[in-house]
Amino acid sequence: MKAVEFNNVTKTYFGKKALNQLSFSIEDNTITGLVGRNGAGKTTLMKIAAGYLKPSSGTAKVFSENPFESLHVSLNSIFVDDGMVFPSALPLGEILQEGARFYPNWNDRLARRLLDYFSLDPKNYHNRLSKGKTSIFNAIVGLASRCPLTMFDEPTTGMDEAARKDFYRALLKDYLDHPRTIILSSHHLEEIEDLLENILLIQGGQNFLHLPMSEFSSWAIAVRGSVEVVRDILDGREIIYEKTLGKNTIQAVVRNELTKNEVSDLRGTGAELFPVSSSDLFVYLTNKEKGGIDDVFNENESR
């Protein structure tokens, strides 16, 4: 069953498209990584799925119904980000009590144990917390809600490394015990890739790639060798990323679709072939130029 379905969804703000004919679907009880550069449309996507925003055009479905102003979707989904607002008059402990009243699957024992583990005083107030502690409390609410659709938008902002690792570990353990559909947005793909079953990469408000994480991890390959040999053998293939190394050596990244003859030819010339990490691939695919920041300096030098 599809937990989330977008069909040609466009969302326009002041004449600019945050989402542009975006289509994808996410299965029940999976963890999907939502990645993209700042401004790609990740937050807008999740706010539409949560029912906060209405598409300008196209259709969005959550649990097979329109999420906008849907009580059913509100009760069974949660959107966690650094903009979460709670009543300023309620201490943290009472906020958790209210969470138990609203979310049908709320686990108060988990919420209290996490609050204690992360050294959050239940008598403290949300608007008095540091940036990192605010993110931790918001994440606790997201985990304890156990909503069938749980969306985290950059949930570890401000957390130190230890807290980030603890959060991801808690998320995985609770997901294994209580499966639900989780969408996790992060700029740090290297921190979350082991959690993910699928990855949705959006760029310019569009679906750029949507595939199992295992396939994304092997989607590209890097080739390092002499400029003349590498460019000759890879002629006709799209170069995703290219970097000059020394006077006559380059490193090129291409789709992992090289033929046996191409691989043999490259190795016969002494060229090296090696895998590309998921985090590096994300950067290469979302760069405006195939040389990344190096192209800025190359352009300046050519003037």
Side-chain angles (χ1 to χ4, degrees):
M1 181 180 174
K2 309 293 186 184
V4 181
E5 295 180 88
F6 276 42
N7 184 25
N8 295 323
V9 170
T10 294
K11 181 62 180 178
T12 303
Y13 296 104
F14 305 107
K16 184 177 180 180
K17 293 179 179 178
L19 298 180
N20 184 13
Q21 298 289 304
L22 178 64
S23 297
F24 69 90
S25 62
I26 293 176
E27 299 285 341
D28 273 342
N29 301 332
T30 56
I31 302 180
T32 297
L34 178 61
V35 297
R37 291 293 182 96
N38 287 334
K42 303 186 300 297
T43 299
T44 299
L45 182 160
M46 287 187 282
K47 285 186 174 180
I48 289 175
Y52 296 177
L53 298 175
K54 187 176 182 180
S56 302
S57 64
T59 58
K61 298 288 186 183
V62 174
F63 312 128
S64 299
E65 67 177 70
N66 182 353
F68 187 66
E69 296 183 340
S70 165
L71 181 58
H72 175 68
V73 172
S74 294
L75 287 172
N76 290 282
S77 67
I78 188 168
F79 173 62
V80 178
D81 73 341
D82 60 4
M84 293 183 81
V85 177
F86 298 98
S88 59
L90 296 182
L92 302 182
E94 291 186 28
I95 291 174
L96 297 184
Q97 289 178 10
E98 294 305 309
R101 292 177 57 187
F102 185 79
Y103 292 108
N105 298 328
W106 181 270
N107 188 292
D108 197 61
R109 182 173 182 272
L110 174 64
R112 301 289 171 173
R113 287 176 64 86
L114 287 172
L115 202 71
D116 180 65
Y117 178 84
F118 286 106
S119 302
L120 287 169
D121 184 354
K123 296 181 180 179
N124 201 352
Y125 291 84
H126 190 261
N127 58 5
R128 298 179 186 175
L129 298 175
S130 68
K131 181 67 173 177
K133 291 293 187 181
T134 298
S135 292
I136 289 171
F137 182 78
N138 295 351
I140 289 173
V141 173
L143 289 172
S145 71
R146 286 184 175 164
C147 287
L149 174 60
T150 300
M151 294 174 284
F152 293 100
D153 187 12
E154 299 290 344
T156 60
T157 300
M159 294 187 197
D160 58 37
E161 183 177 359
R164 294 199 306 272
K165 288 182 177 180
D166 282 339
F167 164 70
Y168 292 132
R169 182 64 178 166
L171 185 152
L172 179 60
K173 288 182 69 68
D174 202 55
Y175 168 76
L176 292 175
D177 289 339
H178 302 276
R180 61 264 209 191
T181 303
I182 295 176
I183 300 176
L184 180 59
S185 167
S186 176
H187 287 107
H188 303 288
L189 185 54
E190 72 280 1
E191 291 187 351
I192 66 172
E193 60 182 307
D194 291 339
L195 298 172
L196 306 179
E197 294 165 84
N198 303 288
I199 186 166
L200 173 59
L201 170 58
I202 63 174
Q203 189 169 4
Q206 297 180 318
N207 182 343
F208 189 84
L209 277 179
H210 189 198
L211 66 171
M213 192 65 205
S214 58
E215 292 183 22
F216 184 78
S217 300
S218 58
W219 193 83
I221 190 167
V223 181
R224 181 184 298 157
S226 72
V227 175
E228 183 179 351
V229 168
V230 171
R231 286 183 175 166
D232 180 59
I233 295 177
L234 298 182
D235 184 43
R237 293 189 177 276
E238 180 187 0
I239 303 296
I240 299 169
Y241 173 75
E242 184 178 287
K243 178 170 66 174
T244 301
L245 305 169
K247 291 185 178 180
N248 192 41
T249 304
I250 62 170
Q251 178 176 309
V253 176
V254 295
R255 285 285 301 269
N256 191 7
E257 298 175 332
L258 298 179
T259 66
K260 290 182 179 180
N261 287 339
E262 288 172 328
V263 171
S264 178
D265 289 345
L266 285 165
R267 287 178 172 161
T269 65
E272 300 176 79
L273 285 80
F274 50 94
V276 179
S277 71
S278 298
S279 56
D280 283 345
L281 179 56
F282 162 65
V283 172
Y284 299 157
L285 289 173
T286 57
N287 274 338
K288 293 176 65 177
E289 304 292 341
K290 69 178 181 181
I293 191 66
D294 288 355
D295 284 350
V296 174
F297 296 91
N298 292 337
E299 182 181 355
N300 288 337
E301 289 172 2
S302 66
R303 290 179 177 177

